[in-house]
Amino acid sequence: MTATHAGTTALSRPIVLQGIRDSFAKLDPRVQVRNPVMFVVFVGSLFTTVLGAAAALGMAPNAGRPGFVLLISAWLWLTVLFANFAEAVAEGRGKAQAAALRSTRKEVQAKKLKGRRAEGGHTLVQASSLRRDDVVLVEALDVIPADGEVIDGVASVDESAITGESAPVLRESGGDFCSVTGGTRVLSDWLVVRVTSNPGEAFLDRMIAMVEGARRGKTPNEIALSILLSFLTLVFLLATVTLAPFSRFAVASSGVGTAVTAVVLVALLVCLIPTTIGGLLSAIGIAGMDRMVRSNVIATSGRAVEAAGDVDVLLLDKTGTITLGDRQAAAFHAAPGVTEQELADAAQLASLADETPEGRSIVVLAKQQFQLRGRDLAGTMHEFHKFSAQTRMSGVDLEGRRLRKGAADAVRRFVEAEGGAWAVAVTQQVETVARGGATPLVVADGKRVLGVIELRDIVKGGIRERFVELRQMGIKTVMVTGDNRLTAAAIAAEAGVDDFLAEATPETKLALIRRYQGEGHLVAMCGDGTNDAPALAQADVAVAMNTGTQAAKEAGNMVDLDSNPTKLIEVVDVGKQLLVTRGALTTFSIANDVAKYFAIIPAAFAATYPQLDAFNLMRLASPESAILAAVIFNALIIVVLVPLALRGVKTRAVSAAHLLRRNLLVFGLGGLVVPFIGIKLIDVLLAATGWI
Amino acid sequence: MTGQGLLQLALYVVVLVALVKPLGAYMAAVFRGERTFLSPLLGPVERLIYRISGVDPAHESDWTRYAFDALLVNLLGFIAVYALQRLQGVLPLNPQGLGAISPDSSFNTAVSFATNTNWQGYVGEATMSYLTQMLGLAVQNFLSAATGIAVLIALIRGFVRREAGQIGNFWVDFTRSTLHVLLPLSFILAVVLASQGVVQSFAPYQQVTLVEPVVMQEQTVTEQTLPLGPAASQVAIKQLGTNGGGFFNVNSAHPFENPTPLSNFLEMLAILLIPAALCYTFGRMVNDQRQGWALLAAMLVIFVPLLVGAFAAEQAGNPRFDALGVDQAASAMQPGGNMEGKETRFGIANSALWATATTAASNGSVNSMHDSFTPLGGLAPMWLMQLGEVVFGGVGSGLYGMLMFAVIAVFIAGLMVGRTPEYLGKKIEAYEVKMAAIVLLVPCLAVLLGTAVAVMVPAATASVANPGTHGFSEILYAFSSAGNNNGSAFAGLAANTPFYNFALGIAMWVSRYWLMIPVLAIAGSLAAKRATAITAGTLPTHTPLFVALLVTTVLLVGALTFLPALALGPIVEHLQLHGSH
């Protein structure tokens, strides 16, 4: 988590103050009309205000007590303002984040090259004037002026402004580390960068737009829910509007009482329509996007965030996600007639110059098991042989000894070329190690085979439990690895994934995704290399690593700034949370209506049918206090639920049936009971004022 | 409530549920085009029909074409029934020489029978010739029911098919419903009913001398006219096809339409038989019978308590009579309870059972007068209609209505498990929500707006027999009935007036076709979707939890929409009745 993102998790004072100001700005009818539910409240507020004013001036004798009408009107306005406030606060948090991001971007000078080479000379231009395919030179301590692709040079880059990660990263042309982000700083050396985005389309721009909510269109599910809420509003509009003639008919035929007043009908309408979810809906959406950004994932659209909740197959790269990045030496298996110590000694010597994590782990293991200290070879006659794709071995020539370690077949060729004999026992050892899911490295000293080093993938702590949780949620995990089937199967079993793809190539990955999709699954994956791009483009939710290539980033629909493949699981969680929060608050909102009926119906018809007081279960003090209490409760509940809307309802690692039962209990039953208590309390307070 | 009465209710439910699987499985086979034991007999007839009418049974269509065909056949039916009524005076099979029916009544009846409502503003034996009854009304009983079933089958295909453009051939579904389902069942029932004494005759009405002369308004009546006609054949389909339009005005309270306890039981059974069995057909066709049982369970969970409630309210009787010292307790000598408007042949339990069954299904036939029920006893049938006729409901239409509620329930519940909601593997998105919401909204619109207009128009309020709350209930009941294609009448409302004939006609029309079209639209949209895989993250839709959720959705929508109106009608009437003694 970056320093810039911290501090906005809570509702800070400036955000609340700004939120209050914005609540009033959002009273603009053009803003209100975008939310049909709240627009009805808005119109109701206007109507009751006019009605109240007319009543106060004695122009509307049947409207009811002017004070009462105006009081209802005031609370209706507050209902609108509270809903505005919820949205404004959600936006405010996003804006605060965007401002923090924007502050990292200062107007910088760019060294625009004439050709594609650093030697061709450059001119200084404003960074904002750079277009796609311009080529710039970035030297030590320069800020990279725009998103781009390194076409020449190697440099260490400080990307903390974007990722919050303080360790500098290496960027070089070609390969999977060629993409750079505007606003980051080169610490040493130089880069030639081809700009890949026009002004305003850069990564940072997308990120700012997304968190600000400026580019936030309604997501598909949000649209569906809005439609349902609009229809509910229409049903309740019907139910309340028709009450006017019904009530007049009742008065005419029973000959007592007066017809229900317009203000009571408006109050009833506003209480019944789903204002709670209607008022919080956009805040929930903005907050969901915000949570994604907080976990340092930038989605290209809200649609992608929502789709993340639907994912039921996760394609996870073995390396870095399921296992610790690198294989580690786990054991020495000496050949017949060789002691383990001798093998360890040779292995350590062969690995002294091997700076790979695997090589270092061999040195460490030899030290741990046999107290062999890493030796300084300075002053000896030695020559290191680095690992290469051709030889597939590495080692050292030291004072006449030719020490080698490497893949079994490569070492065998080496030994046989040296005139040695390959022991059958070693083949067996190699196979045993491989069958166990580990990688065998054979060590030889000239023509003598010394034995086998077992390199093991270390499965990350806690990942197995995570997969169990995912399985309970109905999400299938698939491990993708370049290893052979044997190795892959063993690690898959150890990590507890549901399935694995061994010897994965871009083609097999793509085929696997298509197969799952054909079976009706939604597939998520993450990737970084250019060769991942086709699979990323095919997957339903594709998270590209920020360290990855431009091609990968463009193919994906999310970018993980931390470049942490485990993030996929968090992404799914945020998506689910978004939907759960909407569903929970909708249920709560509708369940609330039951209590409101019990408050308002007896009150509304008290004059005509006093018998209906049997429904006054809460024993509310008077018809006016009952109606006002319901309206006040309806307004206040929005504010009370703002933190929940912003935080999101907690999702749990349980099956859908369990989750539903739990949420129904909390939000359905809770929604039924809470308003009874709330309305009664408000009524008691109102009665205590003595005014009503 | 009496133990014997409860036993009768239980027997009814048990027999009904026992018949669900055999009939449901048979219908599934019919609509999948598989061979059944009737195929050797009916297969050639079916092929002959296709040959004559030039239908290629293998040619399927998309949803718009399917809807067009369904609407076309209904329009033709409407025109035929209207014309028959207007021209019956010059047509044959009219032994009583009945003249043409008024345009507004003809319109109302034609809409009523085309829409499977069978609201009856007319008096059958006094206005309709045998030809009109047989060729117009009885034929429509078959065709309107077959239309409902066909639309349901198309919707089921929408759930089953993947990435498909077609939802079936309307003419095939329509023909199969009529030929393989409705006709055989009606034939059997008609024969059994005739054996019980339901009349089936082309003879003119009979004048008979009364055994015991009656003095009425200072005149001694010695003779009575006995109406006759081809009743048994029409009564069978009116019960089976959730039509409900009686051959005689008092419907199945008439001894010639429903003479014995056995005929009464069979006619009641026929009301819910096909709607209940279609749940099983649904399960079969979506390859998961648990889904069908879950829907049936949801229907029963709503139906049974309302049935028992209505029975209890009727058996409890009228508190005003208690105050007068009238003995209303059930005993060996009397049924007790509120017997006003009920046949002594049927008693309390069977009257309450018929009333709830006929309104749960959109049948609308009666064997007692609902207007005379206690306020709560009358509330049960009225609310069952207002729930949208989805608790069994009309043949086909009840289940497709319930499936729309399921779509809405799944949508809200699906969100709560953190996924884009899906039902039977199909994602429920904005389009489905919009269409399902229209299906839920339109009946509410028809009922509430219709009632609101009626209470404001003097021509309409003049028809009300009782003042005050009961009068309001009568109007509300009429529009609840028409606006949900039920057709049962509360009585007490003189509805054969131009206002009601037109207003109720429009309500029936709107709520039949403006439900059918969105349902078919959903069928088309679902068929085009790919199916999502079922995982532990999928909301299961066959569990008791989902049944509870579906029931809650239906009841909550029904309660929230109609509670204010009901409060001003039966509820306050009940409170007044009990509060003032």
Side-chain angles (χ1 to χ4, degrees):
Chain A
M1 187 72 22
T2 84
T4 54
H5 295 177
T8 49
T9 38
L11 283 180
S12 66
R13 205 181 145 80
I15 289 179
V16 171
L17 289 178
Q18 184 61 41
I20 293 171
R21 275 195 294 276
D22 287 348
S23 317
F24 286 94
K26 283 173 186 284
L27 285 177
D28 186 335
R30 284 165 303 181
V31 177
Q32 290 294 319
V33 81
R34 287 208 298 258
N35 183 339
V37 179
M38 294 317 294
F39 186 67
V40 169
V41 185
F42 178 75
V43 172
S45 312
L46 271 181
F47 174 72
T48 47
T49 308
V50 174
L51 201 67
L57 297 173
M59 287 152 63
N62 296 326
R65 253 201 319 157
F68 175 70
V69 178
L70 287 172
L71 208 51
I72 292 281
S73 171
W75 276 99
L76 296 186
W77 281 117
L78 281 174
T79 312
V80 177
L81 286 173
F82 289 161
N84 288 350
F85 175 73
E87 191 181 76
V89 165
E91 283 172 353
R93 297 206 311 171
K95 282 198 181 112
Q97 260 183 318
L101 287 171
R102 202 175 275 128
S103 70
T104 65
R105 175 195 315 205
K106 301 160 207 84
E107 186 52 54
V108 293
Q109 299 274 305
K111 296 166 180 166
K112 187 175 170 189
L113 294 171
K114 293 186 180 70
R116 295 174 62 84
R117 310 284 311 168
E119 297 79 38
H122 61 257
T123 50
L124 278 180
V125 298
Q126 292 293 317
S128 54
S129 69
L130 290 173
R131 314 291 303 176
R132 182 190 284 263
D133 288 331
D134 284 347
V135 177
V136 293
L137 174 69
V138 193
E139 292 173 301
L141 300 180
D142 285 349
V143 171
I144 296 173
D147 290 3
E149 185 189 346
V150 179
I151 55 174
D152 198 11
V154 184
S156 63
V157 178
D158 171 15
E159 294 196 337
S160 60
I162 299 290
T163 65
E165 208 49 61
S166 53
V169 291
L170 201 70
R171 289 285 175 261
E172 61 188 341
S173 64
D176 288 347
F177 299 98
C178 65
S179 140
V180 289
T181 311
T184 57
R185 183 183 292 273
V186 172
L187 292 178
S188 67
D189 307 296
W190 53 269
L191 295 171
V192 174
V193 174
R194 183 180 63 83
V195 176
T196 51
S197 62
N198 288 325
E201 296 167 8
F203 199 61
L204 203 60
D205 295 306
R206 288 220 304 259
M207 196 159 157
I208 290 170
M210 201 56 75
V211 291
E212 273 188 332
R215 264 196 33 209
R216 207 187 75 91
K218 279 187 180 176
T219 54
N221 177 267
E222 198 177 348
I223 292 171
L225 184 56
S226 308
I227 289 172
L228 182 64
L229 296 179
S230 305
F231 270 97
L232 278 175
T233 305
L234 217 54
V235 167
F236 290 126
L237 191 63
L238 261 176
T240 42
V241 165
T242 51
L243 267 186
F246 293 173
S247 159
R248 235 170 281 140
F249 179 77
V251 170
S253 60
S254 69
V256 293
T258 48
V260 62
T261 57
V263 67
V264 170
L265 287 180
V266 173
L268 179 61
L269 174 64
V270 170
C271 285
L272 292 181
I273 62 176
T275 48
T276 313
I277 178 66
L280 294 172
L281 190 56
S282 61
I284 294 170
I286 298 169
M289 191 68 81
D290 200 42
R291 274 198 297 281
M292 210 56 122
V293 174
R294 258 164 229 283
S295 59
N296 268 0
V297 176
I298 306 301
T300 51
S301 68
R303 185 186 282 262
V305 179
E306 229 175 60
D310 290 350
V311 163
D312 54 7
V313 173
L314 284 187
L315 255 51
L316 298 166
D317 276 330
K318 183 198 77 177
T319 308
T321 312
I322 296 170
T323 61
L324 293 173
D326 311 290
R327 284 174 290 203
Q328 310 268 316
F332 295 110
H333 303 281
V338 181
T339 65
E340 269 192 35
Q341 176 146 12
E342 197 182 339
L343 169 64
D345 183 54
Q348 195 184 46
L349 282 173
S351 306
L352 281 178
D354 187 351
E355 280 301 315
T356 64
E358 294 174 6
R360 279 203 297 266
S361 78
I362 295 171
V363 175
V364 169
L365 184 72
K367 184 175 145 192
Q368 281 172 347
Q369 290 197 341
F370 303 102
Q371 286 75 46
L372 295 170
R373 305 189 58 82
R375 281 145 288 185
D376 189 359
L377 297 184
T380 58
M381 278 293 295
H382 66 268
E383 186 193 348
F384 288 118
H385 293 269
K386 273 199 162 181
F387 178 87
S388 80
Q390 281 78 40
T391 62
R392 295 167 63 219
M393 288 190 303
S394 64
V396 62
D397 294 344
L398 177 69
E399 293 166 344
R401 293 171 77 185
R402 288 160 67 77
L403 296 169
R404 291 291 182 276
K405 68 173 203 294
D409 54 340
V411 174
R412 182 175 188 162
R413 269 197 303 280
F414 168 78
V415 170
E416 285 169 356
E418 294 278 311
W422 182 261
V424 181
V426 174
T427 308
Q428 281 170 354
Q429 281 175 326
V430 165
E431 278 176 9
T432 313
V433 169
R435 208 169 304 126
T439 308
L441 279 187
V442 179
V443 182
D445 182 355
K447 58 186 180 181
R448 217 171 135 230
V449 183
L450 297 177
V452 180
I453 311 170
E454 182 178 337
L455 291 179
R456 210 165 240 304
D457 271 312
I458 308 295
V459 172
K460 279 186 175 175
I463 199 87
R464 200 185 163 85
E465 291 70 29
R466 203 77 196 260
F467 291 155
V468 171
E469 283 180 16
L470 287 173
R471 195 167 308 120
Q472 281 163 347
M473 294 162 77
I475 298 172
K476 190 171 170 164
T477 45
V478 181
M479 182 181 85
V480 178
T481 172
D483 294 345
N484 63 49
R485 283 195 60 82
L486 224 55
T487 312
I491 298 167
E494 194 186 339
V497 292
D498 296 293
D499 199 357
F500 63 90
L501 177 68
E503 288 159 3
T505 62
E507 293 76 36
T508 54
K509 254 195 218 182
L510 189 61
L512 183 72
I513 294 175
R514 290 211 171 120
R515 202 188 80 215
Y516 276 121
Q517 287 175 337
E519 289 168 11
H521 293 284
L522 255 83
V523 183
M525 70 165 287
C526 55
D528 50 9
T530 300
N531 59 12
D532 282 332
L536 283 169
Q538 179 72 33
D540 300 284
V541 172
V543 183
M545 301 292 107
N546 192 40
T547 52
T549 60
Q550 196 63 35
K553 284 191 201 173
E554 270 163 23
N557 45 20
M558 290 186 200
V559 176
D560 178 17
L561 300 175
D562 297 341
S563 303
N564 170 9
T566 322
K567 200 62 85 51
L568 211 47
I569 298 171
E570 262 176 67
V571 166
V572 170
D573 210 44
V574 171
K576 284 199 179 297
Q577 209 177 17
L578 182 66
L579 296 181
V580 171
T581 309
R582 277 189 203 138
L585 290 182
T586 306
T587 309
F588 185 85
S589 194
I590 297 170
N592 269 341
D593 283 356
V594 175
K596 292 169 187 166
Y597 262 135
F598 279 103
I600 296 183
I601 291 289
F605 300 107
T608 321
Y609 296 127
Q611 295 91 342
L612 284 174
D613 197 48
F615 279 97
N616 184 2
L617 295 182
M618 288 169 270
R619 310 311 323 155
L620 303 177
S622 73
E624 285 190 347
S625 79
I627 293 164
L628 193 57
V631 170
I632 293 175
F633 175 84
N634 191 55
L636 289 181
I637 197 73
I638 296 179
V639 183
V640 171
L641 290 175
V642 165
L644 183 70
L646 295 185
R647 201 177 58 234
V649 173
K650 258 209 182 117
T651 55
R652 274 147 214 269
V654 290
S655 71
H658 273 93
L659 197 60
L660 177 63
R661 191 168 311 136
R662 195 181 165 280
N663 284 335
L664 271 181
L665 211 65
V666 174
F667 295 97
L669 207 61
L672 217 56
V673 174
V674 165
F676 277 102
I677 301 166
I679 292 173
K680 176 69 188 173
L681 275 178
I682 296 169
D683 179 73
V684 167
L685 289 177
L686 284 176
T689 64
W691 185 84
I692 215 150
Chain B
M1 282 187 286
T2 60
Q4 185 241 18
L6 284 175
L7 207 63
Q8 292 188 56
L9 306 190
L11 177 73
Y12 176 82
V13 174
V14 167
V15 172
L16 177 70
V17 172
L19 289 173
V20 160
K21 190 173 171 180
L23 180 60
Y26 170 76
M27 288 193 288
V30 166
F31 293 111
R32 281 170 160 177
E34 294 161 5
R35 277 189 74 80
T36 67
F37 69 100
L38 285 178
S39 294
L41 189 68
L42 299 175
V45 182
E46 187 184 338
R47 284 190 289 278
L48 183 70
I49 293 172
Y50 295 149
R51 194 157 338 120
I52 293 170
S53 51
V55 169
D56 174 8
H59 181 84
E60 300 205 331
S61 55
D62 63 5
W63 79 265
T64 47
R65 177 73 211 199
Y66 199 98
F68 177 81
D69 291 345
L71 293 181
L72 183 68
V73 83
N74 277 252
L75 177 68
L76 292 178
F78 166 81
I79 293 171
V81 175
Y82 184 83
L84 274 170
Q85 292 178 87
R86 299 289 293 141
L87 301 174
Q88 68 175 9
V90 295
L91 292 172
L93 270 179
N94 186 5
Q96 298 308 116
L98 298 167
I101 294 160
S102 73
D104 58 293
S105 177
S106 298
F107 163 80
N108 181 281
T109 305
V111 173
S112 171
F113 278 73
T115 57
N116 196 254
T117 310
N118 304 42
W119 168 269
Q120 293 172 291
Y122 61 92
V123 175
E125 59 270 41
T127 54
M128 299 282 178
S129 74
Y130 291 170
L131 185 77
T132 311
Q133 292 264 27
M134 286 175 69
L135 201 59
L137 307 186
V139 166
Q140 278 308 303
N141 280 352
F142 280 97
L143 302 192
S144 64
T147 307
I149 297 179
V151 170
L152 171 69
I153 298 301
L155 177 63
I156 296 175
R157 287 200 195 100
F159 280 112
V160 178
R161 294 191 172 173
R162 296 165 179 211
E163 295 166 73
Q166 275 82 41
I167 58 167
N169 181 327
F170 172 76
W171 303 112
V172 171
D173 295 336
F174 182 67
T175 309
R176 289 206 178 127
S177 320
T178 313
L179 194 63
H180 291 266
V181 179
L182 298 172
L183 264 179
L185 283 172
S186 302
F187 181 78
I188 298 168
L189 186 61
V191 171
V192 177
L193 288 179
S195 81
Q196 294 298 301
V198 177
V199 295
Q200 179 75 10
S201 163
F202 287 128
Y205 298 173
Q206 301 289 308
Q207 288 289 327
V208 293
T209 311
L210 291 181
V211 181
E212 207 176 308
V214 184
V215 180
M216 281 179 83
Q217 293 164 343
E218 295 171 11
Q219 280 191 328
T220 308
V221 180
T222 55
E223 277 201 327
Q224 183 185 4
T225 308
L226 294 182
L228 293 175
S233 56
Q234 192 167 330
V235 170
I237 182 62
K238 100 167 188 216
Q239 296 301 98
L240 284 163
T242 59
N243 296 288
F247 194 88
F248 303 112
N249 187 42
V250 293
N251 213 307
S252 282
H254 198 291
F256 287 177
E257 195 156 335
N258 184 12
T260 66
L262 180 63
S263 73
N264 189 59
F265 184 81
L266 291 176
E267 286 183 21
M268 285 196 299
L269 196 62
I271 294 176
L272 295 187
L273 183 63
I274 297 179
L278 279 171
C279 293
Y280 187 84
T281 308
F282 170 78
R284 261 285 166 95
M285 292 184 77
V286 300
N287 301 314
D288 184 357
Q289 271 131 16
R290 298 172 308 176
Q291 305 290 346
W293 288 119
L295 293 174
L296 183 63
M299 292 176 178
L300 284 171
V301 165
I302 300 174
F303 175 70
V304 171
L306 285 171
L307 167 63
V308 174
F311 176 42
E314 290 311 296
Q315 191 70 60
N318 186 336
R320 300 278 169 96
F321 286 170
D322 285 333
L324 297 173
V326 176
D327 177 16
Q328 294 189 85
S331 66
M333 301 304 293
Q334 63 171 25
N338 173 31
M339 277 301 288
E340 182 194 311
K342 294 186 180 65
E343 287 287 293
T344 47
R345 289 175 295 152
F346 305 134
I348 304 280
N350 280 307
S351 299
L353 175 54
W354 189 299
T356 34
T358 198
T359 46
S362 78
N363 189 292
S365 62
V366 292
N367 75 347
S368 59
M369 293 303 117
H370 298 181
D371 192 33
S372 297
F373 275 36
T374 59
L376 290 188
L379 173 73
M382 179 149 34
W383 199 41
L384 273 167
M385 294 189 291
Q386 290 166 343
L387 292 180
E389 284 301 356
V390 297
V391 181
F392 298 105
V395 285
S397 64
L399 188 53
Y400 67 62
M402 188 55 129
L403 286 169
M404 294 302 108
F405 271 99
V407 163
I408 297 292
V410 156
F411 182 75
I412 298 172
L415 289 181
M416 276 196 288
V417 304
R419 290 186 32 156
T420 302
E422 60 206 37
Y423 187 44
L424 302 173
K426 294 299 179 78
K427 285 213 179 301
I428 304 302
E429 291 165 296
Y431 187 76
E432 287 76 30
V433 169
K434 193 191 296 176
M435 293 300 147
I438 291 176
V439 172
L440 268 57
L441 178 70
V442 165
C444 303
L445 194 93
V447 175
L448 287 173
L449 279 188
T451 311
V453 171
V455 298
M456 289 191 288
V457 176
T461 51
S463 292
V464 176
N466 306 65
T469 53
H470 197 71
F472 179 73
S473 297
E474 286 168 357
I475 299 176
L476 182 62
Y477 193 99
F479 280 95
S480 299
S481 175
N484 287 287
N485 295 134
N486 180 283
S488 89
F490 214 33
L493 184 73
N496 195 3
T497 66
F499 173 82
Y500 283 108
N501 278 335
F502 282 117
L504 295 172
I506 291 166
M508 291 186 276
W509 180 80
V510 165
S511 58
R512 176 71 167 180
Y513 301 112
W514 285 104
L515 264 55
M516 204 179 264
I517 294 170
V519 165
L520 286 172
I522 289 186
S525 148
L526 289 177
K529 290 183 188 220
R530 71 179 203 197
T532 49
I534 309 292
T535 68
T538 314
L539 172 76
T541 52
H542 59 264
T543 58
L545 181 67
F546 181 75
V547 171
L549 190 75
L550 181 57
V551 167
T552 311
T553 310
V554 173
L555 294 183
L556 211 58
V557 170
L560 293 179
T561 313
F562 291 105
L563 191 76
L566 289 172
L568 295 180
I571 293 176
V572 79
E573 193 185 344
H574 171 80
L575 293 170
Q576 286 171 336
L577 192 64
H578 285 263
S580 53
H581 69 91

